[in-house]
């Protein structure tokens, strides 16, 4: 019950039947199975989970007085449990991350935290439950948390930093999960295998604002509510006041979730929102767009069935940057666009990010809607847009794109570009200001653009070039824990309190697990100081109860090592702090990291493939704050739906792909720290020669944010016969370190492909900058990039654009 198999959605077809359009009974939930009898059948009887019998086990909400019978009011009991977790978390904080100086709200202490478990039952609440900065909530057989008040927020997380919610059903109320991160950079919220039913607004919501703090006399990030606490620890929410909206600097992952008869699925305004393998089904006439996110967000492998009313002015998805493999249908005769993107022109807003939007492999019922288009842009136009292999669900004629504001002259077009009014950032020429690619869409999709914009039609990257690269995204699904044998740390003398015997007992625990066919090692949510690296069996699952911190005590050792030629391993819910090669993997097989965090690791993950054999390392939903994220030797390394911050205390690349290895980076929010040329830190000693990727093999990047507000770094240093494909990227070029060049290449035989890339401008003198250096003719395929006047381009059709590369 702690670890049910995940929801599996059939992506090849989409059917709405009775079992999907009404709330499931527990016995009907296909993805909430009871674990097999060999997994401690006594665990959940008599409330033993929260007792001291198994000291690595989660807290049990019933041990705090919850009843779970659907009649008793469990509000006070659940709030007591949340308060306990927050107090425990504050008492055990150990790591301060992201010290960006005097920027309000950036940076927080992190550390271990506990997990709150809801045994099977129905938990009634009558007031909003308030959680703190770090928590994990989990349920058994889709345990239901519900309210009878249609205007109630079920959970609000104040100044949240680390959160995970799994295997729970939320029913009724206004919003189910509402959070605010206080703009605490690298914050992460993971929502998996949950049901959301009958919310009167968006089930999942995140809001952040800017306002003036009268006490501190400064502007700072503010939350949507003011929380006051009674003497007995019960919170009350009141609306807050603020000056302007502000996106949460956080990552939010929503995966394998089901939304049933909710007014809206999710409205998350954050830097990285990744929604995948979800279903949204509603018979209620749609008044809200089902999924709303921001320009750095990705929505993929999802299915939507909504009752679209006549004249609906929304869409199935709003504000998203990458949309892939979506089926969006209407249960009525009316349709809606797949995407609506409402954003002011930069001339109206000042500093603004450029848009790079990709819509691919999707089917949408867009006909008979007010826009009659797959994508609708009521205000500003996107800078880069790629649409490939999209279809109208019923084969009706639709437009690919609808612009409400049609450009009439060059000035209208330049309104979209870069940062308005900054004399140090020259606008590109009009002919280079936009790029639109339409490829292999259905015959019913009209790709005609307004006359002034037809000049921006460009060709897609050659298909035979793209298909030579491995597919993007993750390939290793989460393991089915129901077949695993549990090894609880509590049975090996390891409790929630530190002891001198911890290291020896942990090694005994892992040695014992190595003799089982499918061991699952459960570690308590606390900190472990390790004098040496632990040897891990080649077949195992390691799960933190809540958040487990594994810390390299002397800074000169690793934390985990695993080797073998049949590796099958998964690590979930673990924070790794410090060390050299924090996790060293040598051999062949498969390794998956899920919802893990890496701090101050000189090399977070080292992978080395056995000679003649294959090693695949799959990273999903993780956060890195380290000088080197991965050093990959010959293996296949995939990182998906993750946050990467380069902590530039060392020179070199954050992602190192060595020895003809393969590195796939998909849906990444990349943020560098302050580098050498940051104007407010002229003597900053670190990061003067830092870049994102060092590639000696095959590197594919899809929907990657290279850099952020502070400054940029070269994206790729390429060596030997290395091959690079970058598509759907936002490349920050502010105060770039080292050479003022985004792509560098050592060998003229290497191959590059660039498609649908938007960029920040260049701050400082443009005469010392170049887009690319060291590329030879007929090796560089460029589909979509707005700064074409800064390089020599060798086009996919073999023609050459005579534009000079400017050497640094």
């Amino acid at each position: 019950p702690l670890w049910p198999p995940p929801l599996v959605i059939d992506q090849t077809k989409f059917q709405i039947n009775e079992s999907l359009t009404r709330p499931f009974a527990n016995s009907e939930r296909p993805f909430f199975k009871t674990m097999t009898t060999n997994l401690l059948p006594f665990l959940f009887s008599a409330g033993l989970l929260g007792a001291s019998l198994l000291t690595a086990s989660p807290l049990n909400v019933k041990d705090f007085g919850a009843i779970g019978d659907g009649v008793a009011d469990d509000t006070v009991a659940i709030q007591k449990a949340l308060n306990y977790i927050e107090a425990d978390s504050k008492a055990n904080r150990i790591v301060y991350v992201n010290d960006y100086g005097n920027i309000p709200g950036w940076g927080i202490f992190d550390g271990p935290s506990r997990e709150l478990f809801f045994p099977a039952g129905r938990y009634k609440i009558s007031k909003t439950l308030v959680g703190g900065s770090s928590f994990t909530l989990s349920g058994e057989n889709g345990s239901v948390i519900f309210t009878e008040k249609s205007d109630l927020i079920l959970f609000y997380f104040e100044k949240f930093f680390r959160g995970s919610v799994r295997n729970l059903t939320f029913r009724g109320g206004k919003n189910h999960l509402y959070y605010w991160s206080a703009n605490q950079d690298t914050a992460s919220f993971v929502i998996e295998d949950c049901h959301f039913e009958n919310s009167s607004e968006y089930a999942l919501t995140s809001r952040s604002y800017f306002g003036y703090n009268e006490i501190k006399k400064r502007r700072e990030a503010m939350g949507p509510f003011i929380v006051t606490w009674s003497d007995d620890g019960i919170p009350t929410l009141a609306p807050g006041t603020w000056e302007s909206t502000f996106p949460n600097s956080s990552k939010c992952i929503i995966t394998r979730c089901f939304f049933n008869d909710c007014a809206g699925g999710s409205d998350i305004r954050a830097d990285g929102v990744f929604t995948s393998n979800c279903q949204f089904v509603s018979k209620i006439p749609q008044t809200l767009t089902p999924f709303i996110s921001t320009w750095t967000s990705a929505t993929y492998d999802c299915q939507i069935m909504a009752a679209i009313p006549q004249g609906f002015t929304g869409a199935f998805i709003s504000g998203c940057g990458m949309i892939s493999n979506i089926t969006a249908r209407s249960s009525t005769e009316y349709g809606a666009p797949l995407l609506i993107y409402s954003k002011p022109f930069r001339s109206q807003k000042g500093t603004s990010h450029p848009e790079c939007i990709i819509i691919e492999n999707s089917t949408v019922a867009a006909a008979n809607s007010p826009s009659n288009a797959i994508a609708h842009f009521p205000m500003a136009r996107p800078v880069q847009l790629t649409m490939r292999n999209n279809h109208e669900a019923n084969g009706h004629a639709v437009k690919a794109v609808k612009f409400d504001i049609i450009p009439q002259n060059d000035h209208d077009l330049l309104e979209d570009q870069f940062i308005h009014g900054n004399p140090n950032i020259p606008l590109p020429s009009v002919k280079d200001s936009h790029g639109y690619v339409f490829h292999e869409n259905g015959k019913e999709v009209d790709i005609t653009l307004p006359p002034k914009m037809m000049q921006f039609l460009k060709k897609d990257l050659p298909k035979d070039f793209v298909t030579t690269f491995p597919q993007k995204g993750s390939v290793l699904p989460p393991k089915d824990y129901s077949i695993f044998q549990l090894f609880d740390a509590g049975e090996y003398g390891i409790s929630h309190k530190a002891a001198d015997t911890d290291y020896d007992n942990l090694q005994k625990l892992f040695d014992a697990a190595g003799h089982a066919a499918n061991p699952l090692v459960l570690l308590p949510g606390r900190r472990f100081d390790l004098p040496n690296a632990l040897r891990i069996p080649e077949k195992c699952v390691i799960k933190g109860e809540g958040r487990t911190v594994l810390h390299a005590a002397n800074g000169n050792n690793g934390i985990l090592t695993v080797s073998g030629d049949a590796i099958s391993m998964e690590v979930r819910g673990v924070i790794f702090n410090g060390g050299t090669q924090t996790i060293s993997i040598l051999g062949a097989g498969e390794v998956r990291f899920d919802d893990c965090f890496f701090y101050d690791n000189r090399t977070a993950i080292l992978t080395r493939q056995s000679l003649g054999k294959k090693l695949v390392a799959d990273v999903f939903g993780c956060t890195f704050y380290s000088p080197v994220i991965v050093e990959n030797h010959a293996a296949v390394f995939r990182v998906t739906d993750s946050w990467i911050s380069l902590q530039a205390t060392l020179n070199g690349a954050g992602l190192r792909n060595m020895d003809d290895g393969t590195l796939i980076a998909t849906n990444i929010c990349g943020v560098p720290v302050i580098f050498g040329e940051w104007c407010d830190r002229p003597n900053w000693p670190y990061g003067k020669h830092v870049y994102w990727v060092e590639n000696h093999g095959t590197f594919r990047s899809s929907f990657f944010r290279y850099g952020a507000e502070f400054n940029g770094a070269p994206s790729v240093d390429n060596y030997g016969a290395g091959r690079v494909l970058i598509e759907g990227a936002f490349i920050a070029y502010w105060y770039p370190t080292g050479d003022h060049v985004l792509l560098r290449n050592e060998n003229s035989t290497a191959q590059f492909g660039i498609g649908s890339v938007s960029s920040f401008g260049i701050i400082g003198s443009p005469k010392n900058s170049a887009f690319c250096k060291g590329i030879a003719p007929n090796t560089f395929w460029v589909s979509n990039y707005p700064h074409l006047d800064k390089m020599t381009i060798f086009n996919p059709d073999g023609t050459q654009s005579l534009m000079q590369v400017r050497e640094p």
Side-chain angles (χ1 to χ4, degrees), residues 550-574:
L550 299 180
H551 173 244
N554 59 29
N556 294 317
N557 59 274
I559 293 178
L560 300 180
T561 64
V562 60
S563 61
D565 286 334
I567 298 174
S568 178
M569 194 173 90
E570 178 174 306
V571 183
R572 170 177 285 201
V574 176

Side-chain angles (χ1 to χ4, degrees), residues 3 209 248 364 412 604 699 806:
W3 310 282
Y209 303 90
N248 281 302
V364 56
D412 289 346
F699 171 60
R806 296 176 180 176

Side-chain angles (χ1 to χ4, degrees), residues 722-787:
R723 303 169 65 251
V724 175
L725 171 60
I726 298 177
E727 182 180 48
F730 305 87
I731 298 179
Y733 205 6
W734 296 26
Y735 293 99
T737 64
D739 293 341
H740 286 238
V741 60
L742 288 184
L743 302 174
R744 294 184 283 202
N745 191 55
E746 181 194 64
N747 192 311
S748 62
T749 62
Q751 293 187 349
F752 272 79
I754 306 293
S756 294
V757 173
S758 290
S759 176
F760 292 94
I762 304 165
I763 293 183
S765 175
K767 68 182 181 181
N768 294 323
S769 59
F771 177 80
C772 186
K773 177 182 177 182
I775 297 298
N778 302 316
T779 62
F780 199 0
W781 304 88
V782 177
S783 169
N784 239 352
Y785 187 77
H787 261 305

Side-chain angles (χ1 to χ4, degrees), residues 546-627:
R547 301 277 178 227
T548 298
V549 175
L550 299 180
H551 173 244
N554 59 29
N556 294 317
N557 59 274
I559 293 178
L560 300 180
T561 64
V562 60
S563 61
D565 286 334
I567 298 174
S568 178
M569 194 173 90
E570 178 174 306
V571 183
R572 170 177 285 201
V574 176
I575 296 174
F576 298 94
N577 176 225
T580 51
Q581 298 167 351
T582 303
I583 301 174
S584 179
I585 307 165
L586 171 63
E590 299 176 344
V591 180
R592 177 182 169 94
F593 297 93
D594 197 333
D595 195 16
C596 292
F597 304 85
F598 299 82
Y599 291 131
D600 296 318
N601 322 114
R602 273 171 272 176
T603 297
I605 303 175
L606 172 71
T607 56
R608 190 179 298 275
Q609 185 168 305
S610 297
L611 185 63
K613 297 185 178 181
K614 186 177 181 180
L615 173 65
V616 176
D618 210 340
V619 173
F620 178 83
C622 293
T623 298
F624 295 85
Y625 184 64
S626 298

Side-chain angles (χ1 to χ4, degrees), residues 74 112 133 149 177 214 346 378 414 416 491 555 575 590 606 639 659 679 688 720 755:
D74 289 322
S133 60
K149 298 181 177 181
L177 303 176
E214 292 290 348
R346 288 176 185 79
L414 292 178
D416 295 341
E491 297 179 338
I575 296 174
E590 299 176 344
L606 172 71
V639 55
D659 298 334
C679 54
K688 295 182 182 298

Side-chain angles (χ1 to χ4, degrees), residues 5 18 130 138 187 272 278 299 422-423 478 531 549 582 619 671 719 734 760:
E18 179 66 13
V130 177
S138 62
C278 291
T299 303
N422 190 328
V549 175
T582 303
V619 173
V671 180
Y719 296 86
W734 296 26
F760 292 94

